[in-house]
Amino acid sequence: MTKTSSFNAPKGIPDYVPPGSAEFVAVRDTLVRAARSAGYGHVELPIFEDTGLFARGVGESTDVVSKEMYTFADRGDRSVTLRPEGTAGVMRAVIEHGLDRGQLPVKLCYAGPFFRYERPQAGRYRQLQQVGVEAIGMDDPALDAEVIAIADAGFRALGLDGYRLEITSLGDDSCRPQYRELLQEFLFRLPLDEETRRRAELNPLRVLDDKRPEMREMTAAAPLMLDHLSESAKVHFDQVLGYLDAIGVVYTINPRMVRGLDYYTKTTFEFVHDGLGAQSGIGGGGRYDGLMAQLGGQPLSGIGFGLGVDRTMLALQAEGKTAADPARVDVFGVPLGEAATQRLVVLAARLRAAGVRVDLAYGGRGVKGAMKAADRSGAKYALVLGDRDIAENEIGLKDLATGDQRQIALDDAVGAVSEALAHDR
Ligand code: HAM
């Protein structure tokens, strides 16, 4: 790697540059397309918001809020925070624009960067990219299944198959408080260290996520939410599973799943890829009954997901697959001389207007350099033009894979090139 700048990107923050950036775009767009196919409308929301929105929405007891937020005072001395996740901001916007007063459910989709001050490692960045959806205002198990099926379809469309969907129910107001007490009773009987005890007081579920072997052992017999669901929460969960079976989405029930955000209720899920080591979550989400009311809106339930674009790229790599079209352009122009450059510049613009991706050899560096550039571009064809061709109103169309070249009419080059490309597809 050559380094010519005295600055580097901030620690843990990835750049996306060619050729890898083509993979990034392909992954992001494929996941977005899966959401679009189910009628989710695009939202583009602020990268930073009032700090209180995340503190209240995501939960003060989460690592995301207590340890990982990029929070600063702006020049007007307001506390603002780079968004660590998307759901709270979407909820704020839905309330602010009264979208929940129209037809329900409100179905929204977003893609972009989020920021968490985590310890950087493979697959864990401080600026991470997500594609997310939120479906708000309808507490229908069929909608839970739709959201999960979209994520699954997005991953499948990329060609991924080495992942599994884990799912559970975190219960609701009618059973969670009692379960919480039950779990605390169990935990307080254990010889917990001070920090774990504090966690058990604040958010006992999180203790079940403790990865230390001695804690795993101690909590192996802990009561599980799934065994203590209220009748309505249980019916909801069973119906979600029934829909997933019917659609053909494969899942495993993981009753010990603990998510990093506090707003989840009922259906909660994670997509886990085995080829990624410690940072194996390629996406996750769930239902959130209380979030909207907590942010000052109507008491409407919602469900959504956030899919990690970065980790999905790593998952593809782990499976030896690619989502990107390796070709930058379809056609590469090779002008031999000044008059040819003038003609090819115009022809390139016309071809682009006709939907063909075109690049040219610039700088008059001669045929050898230009042909090398053509090969590197990944183009299917080179358009080779010299003075004699111009005189004869012709241009050479060279198949870069086979080396075959034929002459086509210069006047009709747009039509002939489009036809040749269509023929290859
Ligand atoms: P999350 O599980 O915190 O959920 O993040 C979703 C996905 O973002 C993860 O599964 C992972 O792939 C990716 N991700 C998270 N942190 C990092 C990181 N530091 N580096 C790379 N990738 C990362 C949410 O954010 C929820 N808002 C999802 C949701 C929407 N729930 C309901 N609606």
Side-chain angles (χ1 to χ4, degrees), residues 206-381:
R206 218 167 282 291
V207 180
L208 298 185
D209 197 31
D210 200 316
K211 301 278 188 301
R212 291 174 297 177
E214 66 274 20
M215 282 303 295
R216 292 250 127 179
E217 210 173 299
M218 275 200 281
T219 59
L224 297 171
M225 181 73 251
L226 217 47
D227 298 327
H228 297 272
L229 291 178
S230 64
E231 190 51 30
S232 66
K234 186 166 170 15
V235 167
H236 185 103
F237 188 52
D238 288 343
Q239 287 183 344
V240 174
L241 299 185
Y243 281 121
L244 291 177
D245 288 336
I247 303 171
V249 174
V250 181
Y251 55 83
T252 26
I253 296 174
N254 175 5
R256 295 177 74 92
M257 186 193 304
V258 179
R259 300 271 296 131
L261 312 163
D262 268 357
Y263 45 64
Y264 291 112
T265 56
K266 297 206 193 84
T267 314
T268 307
F269 56 91
E270 235 160 31
F271 289 87
V272 181
H273 196 283
D274 288 325
L276 294 189
Q279 305 305 316
S280 59
I282 55 173
R287 191 164 271 288
Y288 39 85
D289 281 348
L291 180 58
M292 192 156 170
Q294 196 149 355
L295 296 177
Q298 304 186 65
L300 292 178
S301 179
I303 178 159
F305 64 58
L307 310 182
V309 176
D310 308 280
R311 287 195 198 158
T312 304
M313 287 167 71
L314 292 172
L316 277 169
Q317 209 177 52
E319 291 190 21
K321 293 170 181 159
T322 175
D325 172 4
R328 245 183 340 105
V329 289
D330 306 307
V331 174
F332 198 94
V334 177
L336 311 174
E338 223 166 278
T341 296
Q342 281 179 14
R343 299 295 289 260
L344 268 175
V345 163
V346 176
L347 178 56
R350 290 206 186 118
L351 280 164
R352 289 176 194 135
V356 178
R357 300 176 300 168
V358 190
D359 193 8
L360 288 191
Y362 289 105
R365 276 171 311 167
V367 67
K368 228 170 132 194
M371 286 313 296
K372 212 186 243 173
D375 281 329
R376 280 209 200 113
S377 74
K380 174 90 177 83
Y381 293 107

Side-chain angles (χ1 to χ4, degrees), residues 336 340 385-395 407 410:
L336 311 174
L385 187 65
D387 289 339
R388 190 172 336 139
D389 300 310
I390 296 172
E392 287 174 15
N393 189 29
E394 281 183 350
I395 185 165
Q407 296 298 105
L410 189 49

Side-chain angles (χ1 to χ4, degrees), residues 346-347 350-351 354 356 408-419:
V346 176
L347 178 56
R350 290 206 186 118
L351 280 164
V356 178
I408 58 176
L410 189 49
D411 289 342
D412 183 38
V414 173
V417 169
S418 304
E419 209 168 285

